[in-house]
Amino acid sequence: PTQGTCSLAGSILSCDLGTVNASGSVTITVIVTPTKTGTLTTNVSAASKNDYDTVTSNNTDSASTTVTPPPPSAPTLTAPLGTVTSLRPTFSWSAPAGAVRYEIQIGSTDPPTTTAISLTTNHYTPPAPMLPGTYFWQVRAFNSGGTPSDTWSAGSFTLNSPADAAPLINVFTSQPVILTWNRVFWAVTYDLEIADNAAMKNPIDTASPTDLYYSTSALSEGTYYWHVRGRNGSTVGAWSAVQSFVLKP
């Protein structure tokens, strides 16, 4: 302090400031060193004796300090890089200290503009086969406070067709994709679902068209699956067989 003395007992700092003249002031500087990141340090000060100031409402003050961890380092990409033949390659990268979550982007442009996929592991396998071609991908890490690494780690690879590859059907290079089906005579409307997996779990698009076609909404490049069924009020028919299409702009 600028006047008097202070002593520390455990986490309690006590100061004897002596006599403070009217209109006088004493400054006490406290430096707190956190023992770990993510803690909330609260400092509370209180005057236990005040002979001349009869207003006691301002004798206590507090301040809080949130300690946040530094951003993690950018991950190091390990695979796929160069040339690969697996149509479902496993993407993997290092796990920097302090990283608890990752975002990965994969696309045919440099840098990729596809929606980032959030992960808690340092690897990712696409749910559906990818088309042959050149791909760019990037990854960044996040710490427990939600702060990302300063930069993305970027890489690229060329996906070649394996020796036993068969031609892909229903490949579209532009949007929207028009899905069509035949009429069910008693149906008034149709239920349609589009998913990124053949099991049709967690559809990414649903619709109730009255026509025998549907124009898809904006989709990222990839493989998609869909089925449709007829409906007349509460009466519904069976789902069609699951069909697929590939979008590669």
Side-chain angles (χ1 to χ4, degrees):
T2 56
Q3 175 180 311
T5 59
C6 293
S7 61
L8 181 65
S11 60
I12 305 299
L13 179 68
S14 301
C15 299
D16 184 350
L17 305 181
T19 299
V20 181
N21 296 326
S23 302
S25 65
V26 176
T27 300
I28 302 173
T29 302
V30 180
I31 300 176
V32 179
T33 302
T35 57
K36 62 179 180 179
T37 60
T39 60
L40 180 66
T41 303
T42 301
N43 305 313
V44 178
S45 60
S48 60
K49 185 176 182 180
N50 200 319
D51 294 333
Y52 301 101
D53 185 0
T54 59
V55 180
T56 59
S57 61
N58 62 356
N59 286 350
T60 301
D61 194 14
S62 64
S64 297
T65 302
T66 301
V67 182
T68 58
S73 301
T76 300
L77 307 185
T78 54
L81 299 169
T83 301
V84 298
T85 57
S86 172
L87 297 182
R88 291 186 63 208
T90 295
F91 294 79
S92 59
W93 52 91
S94 66
V100 298
R101 184 174 69 86
Y102 306 92
E103 282 187 350
I104 180 173
Q105 286 181 295
I106 308 167
S108 57
T109 60
D110 184 16
T113 58
T114 53
T115 302
I117 301 170
S118 181
L119 305 162
T120 56
T121 59
N122 62 328
H123 55 84
Y124 169 73
T125 301
M130 301 174 66
L131 292 175
T134 298
Y135 290 90
F136 301 89
W137 63 295
Q138 58 186 16
V139 176
R140 63 178 177 175
F142 289 78
N143 63 21
S144 58
T147 303
S149 49
D150 292 334
T151 60
W152 291 82
S153 297
S156 65
F157 65 97
T158 299
L159 183 59
N160 283 345
S161 300
D164 59 349
L168 293 174
I169 60 174
N170 297 328
V171 177
F172 297 87
T173 57
S174 62
Q175 298 192 68
V177 175
I178 309 299
L179 306 176
T180 63
W181 55 91
N182 70 293
R183 179 184 178 189
V184 175
F185 282 91
W186 52 262
V188 176
T189 61
Y190 296 87
D191 298 334
L192 181 138
E193 294 181 336
I194 300 174
D196 58 7
N197 60 90
M200 301 302 298
K201 294 182 179 179
N202 303 316
I204 60 175
D205 190 12
T206 59
S208 300
T210 56
D211 297 310
L212 301 180
Y213 64 89
Y214 176 70
S215 298
T216 62
S217 56
L219 298 170
S220 303
E221 62 181 88
T223 301
Y224 296 91
Y225 303 85
W226 67 286
H227 60 186
V228 64
R229 66 182 179 183
R231 174 181 290 274
N232 189 333
S234 60
T235 301
V236 294
W239 286 107
S240 67
V242 174
Q243 303 295 315
S244 67
F245 64 92
V246 178
L247 180 61
K248 186 172 177 61

